[in-house]
Amino acid sequence: MLVGVKRETRAGERRVAATPASVRQLMKLGLDIAVESDAGVQAGHDDAAYRTSGADVVARLGHVDVLCHVAPLTPDEASALRPGTITVGFASPAAELPTVSALAQAGVASFALELIPRISRAQTMDALSSQSLVAGYRAVLEAAIRFPRFFPLYMTAAGTVPPARVLVLGAGVAGLQAIGTAKRLGARVSAYDVRPASADEVASLGGSFINLDLDAIEGSGGYAREMSQDRAARQRELLAPHVAASDVLITTAAVPGRPAPLLVTTDMVAGMKGGAVVVDLAAETGGNVEGVKAGHDVAVPGVGGTVTLVGMKDAASAMATDASRLFAANVANLVELMTVDGRVVPDFNDDVVSAACLTHDGRVMHQPTAALLKGVP
């Protein structure tokens, strides 16, 4: 069977769905690999590296049995696939409904990495976690670049420089990576999450967990779930003094398939000191911070100066080499799970395979997405 690796064309996307190392992994399964020319250049892998790994490098992919990609396909790309083609990559099903419909109509068996279940045996395929790790690290670097002070404490002959106070909202994979990175840079770090069970993980990284004395909000698969408007308002009220006391605020909260929850209002930002920096990792899905713009820095009034709102966009792609290393491994591991005797044959009795399947045999298999396509709220 022929596995094709797509050259990403979406603006800002620098990652690639297969690296030379993952190509070798797939070839050991008896699969043939074709990589579009320059697919890995922005991730640090030239065509020669893919040829050395055993892949064919082609100017343009023709018909393939399995298509590996990073960004969601366009409706035109989906419609051009042959019936029975298998796709593996991100799909953003709730935001890319025309593509989902096109995949179903084309008879494509599509597997969305966002839908990989958070169970132990699927950890090596969990691209949301691997890419969130990259994004959390990058968020701290972006904040440090813009912050007009040091992160660590310095005691010098000229006086003492106090450490920066960093507050992280959301203690999932991205949040925990942000906490650990900020701590390694010497900042004083605190964090909040609606799941109290996160407190031990925050403490293990050297952060202080903020307990707002609110009921836990735990969703499926370890994710948070949406909260009522009254509870959200109360949470913002209790968080306000913590936000005001921070020099750097990093927000990472997301609810799968839904717009990002609003955690920080304009009034809360206005209480921060001039020079403070806010980095919103959820900017592309609406933002956790009011007034944030994905891909842009916005200066807003603070106390005695301006506060910089940083709307992160393509955060993982900004570190394309390591992001691709992890993503390609996730893709290869899922393909390996579905491969038997040199053929990719999905076993829908496998709970990982069935959960990750978005479309198959002309139908939308992921029920929440199917409901959205039917206009069911």
Side-chain angles (χ1 to χ4, degrees):
M1 293 187 76
L2 181 61
V3 176
V5 180
K6 182 180 180 294
R7 179 179 60 246
E8 301 298 323
T9 56
R10 183 168 293 207
E13 185 53 75
R14 302 172 61 227
R15 293 170 292 180
V16 64
T19 62
S22 74
V23 164
R24 290 190 290 271
Q25 177 183 348
L26 294 172
M27 292 190 69
K28 288 179 181 178
L29 302 174
L31 301 169
D32 297 319
I33 315 296
V35 180
E36 277 196 311
S37 182
D38 291 337
V41 168
Q42 295 188 83
H45 307 293
D46 61 14
D47 290 348
Y50 286 104
R51 290 192 185 97
T52 300
S53 72
D56 289 329
V57 176
V58 298
R60 183 180 177 86
L61 288 176
H63 292 305
V64 298
D65 299 301
V66 180
L67 177 63
C68 300
H69 59 93
V70 181
L73 302 176
T74 66
D76 288 344
E77 289 171 333
S79 298
L81 297 173
R82 291 187 302 182
T85 301
I86 295 169
T87 66
V88 179
F90 280 140
S92 301
E96 303 284 349
L97 293 177
T99 293
V100 176
S101 181
L103 288 167
Q105 291 175 20
V108 171
S110 61
F111 292 87
L113 293 177
E114 298 96 330
L115 304 182
I116 293 289
R118 284 200 158 175
I119 59 177
S120 295
R121 61 184 291 262
Q123 287 180 349
T124 61
M125 309 162 219
D126 186 355
L128 278 184
S129 290
S130 73
Q131 301 307 289
S132 292
L133 181 145
V134 180
Y137 175 81
R138 184 71 187 197
V140 177
L141 300 188
E142 295 292 340
I145 288 169
R146 291 166 175 81
F147 187 53
R149 287 177 38 211
F150 295 126
F151 265 39
L153 165 71
Y154 283 117
M155 301 181 70
T156 76
T160 299
V161 178
R165 294 176 177 267
V166 175
L167 171 61
V168 178
L169 299 184
V173 174
L176 292 172
Q177 179 67 7
I179 292 164
T181 303
K183 192 66 181 178
R184 286 191 292 272
L185 287 177
R188 184 177 297 172
V189 185
S190 58
Y192 170 73
D193 194 285
V194 295
R195 300 158 296 188
S198 302
D200 289 342
E201 294 176 299
V202 171
S204 72
L205 293 170
S208 300
F209 189 78
I210 296 171
N211 191 341
L212 299 184
D213 198 25
L214 293 170
D215 293 336
I217 301 291
E218 189 85 33
S220 61
Y223 292 103
R225 60 177 172 82
E226 285 189 295
M227 65 184 76
S228 68
Q229 291 187 0
D230 288 345
R231 188 192 188 284
R234 177 59 177 162
Q235 176 179 283
R236 289 192 290 268
E237 179 184 348
L238 294 174
L239 279 175
H242 298 281
V243 170
S246 64
D247 300 305
V248 172
L249 171 65
I250 297 173
T251 66
T252 71
V255 179
R258 301 283 186 178
L262 178 64
L263 303 182
V264 180
T265 64
T266 299
D267 287 344
M268 293 166 71
V269 172
M272 299 179 75
K273 297 181 289 293
V277 178
V278 177
V279 179
D280 191 339
L281 276 177
E284 290 182 274
T285 55
N288 297 142
V289 181
E290 190 174 16
V292 75
K293 293 178 63 178
H296 296 275
D297 287 10
V298 179
V300 297
V303 178
T306 60
V307 176
T308 302
L309 306 183
V310 182
M312 290 295 287
K313 185 177 182 182
D314 302 313
S317 279
M319 309 197 76
T321 299
D322 282 338
S324 295
R325 182 201 309 270
L326 300 174
F327 186 88
N330 298 142
V331 169
N333 289 331
L334 179 56
V335 173
E336 182 172 353
L337 177 67
M338 299 189 291
T339 302
V340 179
D341 296 330
R343 296 189 62 80
V344 182
V345 186
D347 177 6
F348 292 100
N349 291 318
D350 186 296
D351 52 356
V352 175
V353 173
S354 59
C357 185
L358 178 58
T359 64
H360 175 61
D361 198 22
R363 294 181 296 153
V364 177
M365 306 301 291
H366 183 239
Q367 291 309 306
T369 304
L372 288 173
L373 281 166
K374 294 176 182 178
V376 179

